[in-house]
Amino acid sequence: MNFRNLLYISAFFLFAFSNGSIAQDAKTLHVDSTGRLFIKPGTPVYIYLSTSPDGSNPVKLKGFKDGEAPISWSEHGFKQLNHLNLYLGRSIRFDIFADGKAPKTSLHFNANQGIQKGTTIYLSGEAVLEFAATDPFSGVESIFYSVNGDEFSQYSKPIEFTNDGEYTIRFYSIDNVGNKEDVGERVILIDSTPPATTLNFEGPHHNGVLSSRTRISLTAADSFGVKETFYSINNNPETRYNRPISITNLPEGEHTISWYSVDKVGNVETKQTLIFFVDRTPPMVFEEIIGNTYMIAGREYSSGRSQLRIAAVDNKAGVKEIYYSINNSPFKLYEKPIFLSEISGAITIRSYAVDNVENKGTSDAEGQQFSMPQVDITGPNIRHSFTGKQLMLRDTLWISPATIINIVASDQGSGVNRIEYRINQNPAEVYSAPFTISNAGSFTIGCTAWDYVENLNIASFDVSVDAQAPEIFSHFSVNPHRIESNDEESLEVYAAGVTLFVGATDNLAGVDNIMVSINGARERAYSQPLDGFKANQTHTVTLRAIDRLGNERTKTITFRVE
């Protein structure tokens, strides 16, 4: 059989990569279900010849000029490979498609509601993400995705998102000849929480009562953005909120406002309702002049309590402030009844009141004529003094529990009626005689004195009580060489010539003196260590330490000298 007939009978072309592997590698070559052959542009291809239908035992063909150099196709599109039979004068054509275009991937969501702005997708509630890729040529081989920076994974089933939050999705596809799509990216915001809207009042308001000048503002907040807010007053049709709400046209009385917000993915806030009251009525103001007098020893005294009393009432919001003017003086804030003891003749009073939502009411009063008696408008003068030890240390007055506290009051008018005093927060007591404070500590003594027309004066002073006596310390010059014990006590025994050292300290006032008595002898001031104790005798030393406030402590030391 000649070579010509062999080629005619059983010539097959096989394609291979430049690395020698055969055409089943789908990353470079792909045969679809119709038998079409796809190849990625630029892929090196070698041609093999086989006499078997399955392509077994192939033999690589060499080019006429380039030897074993591969061939390739550089552009996307339909290609042909032709074999020319020179003896028969006909050609055999092999069709090839060079696929150089990558697939395109799209995202699809199964969610309650969603919108997309740019590369960001807003979804309400739980969502299921599905990928779909298309390639009109060799077909899609795989889809890959990554969530929030994780490693890319091959897509095989829908992805579920159950928690609220922000997710960054990256994805791409590869076709059957290895063309890779550029990585795409979408940001997904999962939001199942409705907005929260807060109502505030701009202008005068008090406990749900509003002035007609007050405006109502609604402020909505949402993790991923509020779309719109709606409100309704007194069940009127809903209105989209875009600026603070004026209530100028509402009549006085009770009204109801309801409101809610919707976020960007359609989550709807539960409707909220508030009842408020529009108050247009100002307060009513009333003035009154009151006073009293007393007869003491045939003379008439005024207590100095001729007063201007102003009262106001309001229908709803309540009275906030009252202002007054006497005899055309500048208006002042009314806080309590005003004493008129220094005024005689006609009195002209003007006043007005403001309620808690700034409604203003005025009142005009006619002048009143009255004659004031002799006026005693000053309370008694209060003084205090101490009898006994006292000491000033660093701006603090210290006394002892034995120090007597005296309170004295005097009055040039109607005379002193009574004195009361209070120690710290204890109940007040009527002062009838000087007193002492036995407990240690710091005390504020408040004094109040009244005259017979009930004018009063108040005074206070601070004092600290030192009730602690000095501490006494003693030390022998040598240790005892033995201790004698019986059923009642132990007695230390010292060698002849022993010396006793004495000292004292005080926590506040300081030690004033230390007195010493030896064996019942007369006391004397301690000035130097004690010695000269006779041998073979038991001795008793009595020590008494006194601080500068007179607090004292006694200590007795019994010992034997041999």
Side-chain angles (χ1 to χ4, degrees), residues 38-323:
F38 293 86
I39 188 168
K40 186 175 181 181
T43 302
V45 174
Y46 292 90
I47 300 177
Y48 285 73
L49 189 67
S50 175
T51 59
S52 301
D54 61 359
S56 59
N57 300 316
V59 177
K60 184 190 294 184
L61 297 184
K62 295 183 179 180
F64 180 73
K65 292 183 179 181
D66 299 326
E68 295 186 359
I71 63 173
S72 63
W73 292 268
S74 61
E75 296 180 356
H76 177 83
F78 182 74
K79 310 294 180 182
Q80 287 184 337
L81 181 66
N82 293 313
H83 165 64
L84 178 60
N85 190 322
L86 297 177
Y87 295 96
L88 299 179
R90 63 179 182 180
S91 64
I92 301 174
R93 185 182 67 185
F94 298 92
D95 293 336
I96 303 173
F97 195 95
D99 180 4
K101 294 186 177 180
K104 292 184 178 180
T105 306
S106 59
L107 284 72
H108 304 279
F109 287 92
N110 178 12
N112 295 334
Q113 188 173 353
I115 59 173
Q116 180 169 345
K117 290 186 177 181
T119 60
T120 301
I121 302 170
Y122 299 86
L123 301 175
S124 174
E126 297 181 358
V128 177
L129 167 63
E130 294 181 288
F131 290 101
T134 59
D135 187 280
F137 306 109
S138 62
V140 177
E141 195 274 333
S142 296
I143 302 173
F144 296 88
Y145 72 95
S146 167
V147 179
N148 290 341
D150 291 342
E151 294 291 333
F152 279 94
S153 301
Q154 185 170 351
Y155 173 74
S156 60
K157 62 180 180 179
I159 306 167
E160 295 183 359
F161 296 92
T162 58
N163 297 324
D164 283 10
E166 180 176 318
Y167 302 89
T168 300
I169 309 297
R170 303 179 70 223
F171 55 90
Y172 67 89
S173 294
I174 298 176
D175 66 14
N176 282 302
V177 295
N179 292 307
K180 178 182 176 182
E181 179 185 14
D182 291 338
V183 176
E185 182 175 303
R186 297 288 187 276
V187 176
I188 302 172
L189 296 178
I190 306 295
D191 180 12
S192 60
T193 303
T197 308
T198 303
L199 182 145
N200 292 290
F201 299 125
E202 298 179 0
H205 65 281
H206 180 73
N207 294 336
V209 180
L210 312 184
S211 164
S212 60
R213 302 180 300 279
T214 302
R215 299 190 301 173
I216 300 174
S217 65
L218 299 173
T219 304
D222 187 81
S223 300
F224 302 115
V226 177
K227 181 181 179 182
E228 51 195 355
T229 300
F230 297 93
Y231 72 94
S232 172
I233 296 179
N234 297 333
N235 295 319
N236 288 317
E238 289 183 349
T239 302
R240 179 177 292 163
Y241 176 83
N242 51 30
R243 64 175 61 91
I245 306 162
S246 173
I247 60 172
T248 303
N249 297 324
L250 292 179
E252 179 167 280
E254 192 172 83
H255 303 275
T256 301
I257 183 172
S258 58
W259 70 95
Y260 67 92
S261 294
V262 182
D263 66 14
K264 291 182 177 181
V265 295
N267 294 310
V268 180
E269 179 183 13
T270 301
K271 185 179 292 186
Q272 302 185 66
T273 301
L274 175 70
I275 298 175
F276 62 94
F277 190 97
V278 176
D279 183 3
R280 296 175 176 271
T281 304
M284 297 178 63
V285 188
F286 307 91
E287 302 97 347
E288 179 185 13
I289 295 179
I290 59 175
N292 55 4
T293 61
Y294 295 86
M295 296 296 295
I296 303 286
R299 301 183 64 179
E300 183 180 13
Y301 287 90
S302 166
S303 64
R305 286 173 176 76
S306 294
Q307 303 170 36
L308 169 64
R309 179 180 294 171
I310 305 175
V313 294
D314 187 72
N315 67 322
K316 190 65 179 180
V319 177
K320 180 182 179 183
E321 294 171 327
I322 301 174
Y323 292 86

